[in-house]
Amino acid sequence: MINKKNALRAVLMALLCAPALCVHAQNQWTYDFNNGFLPIESGGPALKPLGRPGQIIKEQIPGSDGLSRSIYVFEKNSGLQFNSGEAKGFLNKSFTVEIYFKLDSLDIWKRVLDFKNRKSDYGTYIYHGKLNFFNFAMSEKAAVRAKQWVHYVYSRDYETKVIRMYINGILKLDFKDPGTEGVLDADQVLNIFQDDLIAGNESSAGTVALIRIYDRVMTPVFVRRSYQSIAKTFKEPVAQKEEPKEEPKPVEEKPEPARNKNLAVVTGRVYDSRNLKPVNDAEVHVRKSTNDSLVAHTRTVDGVYNVELPPHETYRITAQADGFQSKSVTVRTNNRFEEVKALMNMAPETHSTPLSTLYFSQGTEVLEDSALADLDSIVNYFQKRQDLRLVLKGHTDNTGSFEKNLELSNKRVETVRAYLIGKGIIASRIEGSGYGSAQPNQVNRTEATKKSNRRVEVWAESVKR
């Protein structure tokens, strides 16, 4: 048995320091848990357990002849921390994080990397088998399964701000950090697997066999070879079997219907301005610019739409999708049978103004008839938009004491809330507060201006995951 252990150790050392993979030890720290939480290179910082301390145990490598490896088993909302400060700012510029791990659960969002020491919801997740950097980028389906080992790599280039994320040697996400969300903050710690304190409940128990941290961006070829070496050494080809699915046979190569040679075709692509991902099932309306008449209506499939239009005309094409502001572009069809390309980048919708404002008579919380029609429209909107919640803000004019006005504003909020619940809106989707006379719309000088202050504002807000 001693010989087997020595043989395994030699294999792992060969893997970790093979010429094709290992450059200079001072430029990386490698944690395989044979030295506890210390790296195999001398002088590096020890990893710190987060949450409830887990266990370092020996596990037999599947398919091997009795060989075992050291692994760290952690509970939900626990994990490990790398202290870049102790490593003299190791992650302050370009860097790469490579992890070989498995998670017990992959339903909804499961945290992988946290750069802000639990103070932010931003960072990397696995979401139903997709790689995600909340809330800027989402990959297509990746070869990630619950309770199966996966090779995960994250890199960020200091000069270009480009972030790349890989699964099993395959690049899955490639986008530009919109700010400094993908780097460490002043605390100078990288948290792995433990979730932040903002959302909560977005973590999984799991097991990790290898963590390797570099002070540079590793190339796609390097990442691919590293995965192949690890998969070969650990004799776990499960993820390898999924690779053919990453490049499916082209299903789009079907004979296209014959085009009308008397018409031009507009081929458009609608994408999310934040991450360049396609916006699926967006409504597309095409209108003539001369008289605003509707000439075509379609929806995007994987962000793409096609419409055939008469030539020698100018058209306005508008895309609409839940969660986005509508976007329009103008195109001109100059010839028959030509193809015109139109790209539209859609920005996320904002909720900087109330959806509706309901007004009340002096000293009462009773809804007026005119407000009921507005509320019914609000109900229809929120029943369709399950990604939003309602925020009610109650106000009064300055007649009477502040304490009574504060009480009245809260009663108005409760009246509106009760009406919405009675119409089928779930109570947990509604929040509300009264502000009394503290936030007037206009100065309380006349009855007309006072009336504008006796109100409940209905705001929309994105639902937290």
Side-chain angles (χ1 to χ4, degrees):
M1 188 66 181
I2 294 177
N3 290 336
K4 288 181 178 178
K5 288 183 177 180
N6 290 338
L8 172 63
R9 185 64 174 170
V11 169
L12 290 177
M13 288 301 292
L15 162 68
L16 298 173
C17 294
L21 300 180
C22 191
V23 190
H24 301 292
Q26 65 267 26
N27 292 331
Q28 67 186 49
W29 301 115
T30 306
Y31 301 87
D32 66 356
F33 304 103
N34 285 300
N35 293 335
F37 296 113
L38 291 171
I40 66 173
E41 302 88 358
S42 61
L47 295 175
K48 174 187 174 182
L50 297 173
R52 293 175 62 89
Q55 288 184 303
I56 296 177
I57 63 176
K58 291 289 185 180
E59 177 188 70
Q60 182 174 336
I61 298 177
S64 69
D65 186 18
L67 298 181
S68 63
R69 62 178 168 219
S70 295
I71 59 174
Y72 180 66
V73 181
F74 54 91
E75 296 184 13
K76 182 178 180 181
N77 209 25
S78 299
L80 295 164
Q81 181 184 88
F82 175 83
N83 193 315
S84 183
E86 292 180 1
K88 300 180 180 179
F90 194 77
L91 301 181
N92 283 352
K93 291 196 174 182
S94 295
F95 66 93
T96 301
V97 180
E98 180 181 17
I99 320 175
Y100 193 62
F101 67 93
K102 59 182 177 181
L103 297 179
D104 293 353
S105 173
L106 283 180
D107 60 306
I108 62 169
W109 306 81
K110 298 303 176 187
R111 169 76 78 170
V112 181
L113 299 177
D114 168 24
F115 304 99
K116 310 301 182 186
N117 201 17
R118 309 193 75 191
K119 300 187 295 293
S120 170
D121 204 20
Y122 295 129
T124 74
Y125 298 81
I126 295 175
Y127 174 70
H128 289 298
K130 299 179 180 181
L131 299 192
N132 172 262
F133 192 110
F134 183 76
N135 60 352
F136 305 114
M138 179 85 78
S139 77
E140 299 301 320
K141 200 76 171 180
V144 185
R145 301 289 184 273
K147 300 182 180 180
Q148 290 185 7
W149 290 98
V150 65
H151 180 255
Y152 180 99
V153 175
Y154 170 97
S155 71
R156 185 184 188 275
D157 189 289
Y158 177 75
E159 299 295 336
T160 64
K161 291 189 176 182
V162 171
I163 292 173
R164 291 188 173 94
M165 298 165 66
Y166 302 77
I167 282 292
N168 296 338
I170 299 174
L171 180 63
K172 287 294 182 179
L173 269 183
D174 185 345
F175 65 99
K176 189 172 182 179
D177 191 341
T180 56
E181 303 306 336
V183 295
L184 303 184
D185 64 5
D187 289 347
Q188 286 289 288
V189 294
L190 174 69
N191 293 341
I192 307 173
F193 303 125
Q194 187 182 36
D195 193 26
D196 57 82
L197 298 172
I198 307 301
N201 301 314
E202 295 176 346
S203 63
S204 171
T207 309
V208 56
L210 176 69
I211 298 175
R212 190 188 284 122
I213 302 176
Y214 309 87
D215 65 349
R216 59 200 180 280
V217 172
M218 310 315 295
T219 67
V221 173
F222 183 99
V223 173
R224 180 77 173 180
R225 289 178 179 174
S226 182
Y227 163 66
Q228 291 172 344
S229 297
I230 290 175
K232 180 179 179 181
T233 303
F234 289 155
K235 300 182 184 300
E236 290 168 326
V238 174
Q240 286 274 46
K241 293 179 181 178
E242 299 224 358
E243 286 188 28
K245 296 181 182 179
E246 302 300 332
E247 298 181 3
K249 298 299 181 182
V251 295
E252 298 179 2
E253 294 184 2
K254 298 178 180 179
E256 294 186 2
R259 277 183 53 190
N260 187 334
K261 292 184 178 181
N262 291 319
L263 299 177
V265 62
V266 176
T267 300
R269 184 177 296 275
V270 181
Y271 59 93
D272 189 330
S273 63
R274 296 166 295 183
N275 52 33
L276 305 185
K277 293 293 181 182
V279 178
N280 191 37
D281 204 34
E283 281 195 74
V284 178
H285 296 86
V286 184
R287 296 179 181 274
K288 277 188 179 182
S289 295
T290 53
N291 57 15
D292 203 39
S293 61
L294 181 67
V295 296
H297 176 214
T298 185
R299 289 181 177 272
T300 60
V301 177
D302 293 330
V304 176
Y305 67 91
N306 293 278
V307 288
E308 290 186 335
L309 301 170
H312 313 299
E313 292 278 0
T314 301
Y315 301 92
R316 188 179 77 256
I317 303 178
T318 302
Q320 297 175 315
D322 289 349
F324 295 91
Q325 300 179 54
S326 63
K327 183 65 179 285
S328 297
V329 296
T330 300
V331 300
R332 172 76 183 178
T333 56
N334 295 309
N335 299 293
R336 295 182 300 168
F337 207 64
E338 75 170 341
E339 183 173 352
V340 181
K341 295 186 181 296
L343 301 179
M344 283 187 277
N345 60 328
M346 301 189 73
E349 67 181 349
T350 58
H351 305 293
S352 55
T353 58
L355 291 178
S356 181
T357 301
L358 314 172
Y359 296 99
F360 293 78
S361 298
Q362 172 68 49
T364 180
E365 69 272 19
V366 177
L367 286 167
E368 298 182 353
D369 291 342
S370 60
L372 298 181
D374 288 344
L375 279 176
D376 289 341
S377 177
I378 290 293
V379 169
N380 292 332
Y381 176 74
F382 279 94
Q383 285 176 338
K384 178 182 177 183
R385 292 295 304 275
Q386 295 296 316
D387 58 318
L388 299 176
R389 66 176 180 175
L390 294 96
V391 179
L392 307 177
K393 300 179 181 181
H395 306 273
T396 68
D397 61 26
N398 65 346
T399 304
S401 69
F402 178 81
E403 290 77 12
K404 289 186 176 180
N405 282 329
L406 183 62
E407 180 182 358
L408 177 59
S409 65
N410 278 298
K411 287 182 178 179
R412 288 172 174 170
V413 167
E414 285 304 312
T415 298
V416 175
R417 186 173 185 271
Y419 185 88
L420 294 170
I421 293 173
K423 290 291 184 175
I425 301 295
I426 300 174
S428 60
R429 292 182 64 196
I430 307 173
E431 291 189 2
S433 295
Y435 299 90
S437 59
Q439 297 181 7
N441 254 346
Q442 300 185 49
V443 179
N444 289 285
R445 289 178 179 170
T446 66
E447 174 56 26
T449 57
K450 286 185 177 183
K451 183 177 181 179
S452 71
N453 295 328
R454 302 192 293 262
R455 70 199 191 278
V456 169
E457 297 172 347
V458 182
W459 295 72
E461 189 174 279
S462 296
V463 174
K464 190 70 175 175
R465 302 189 315 279

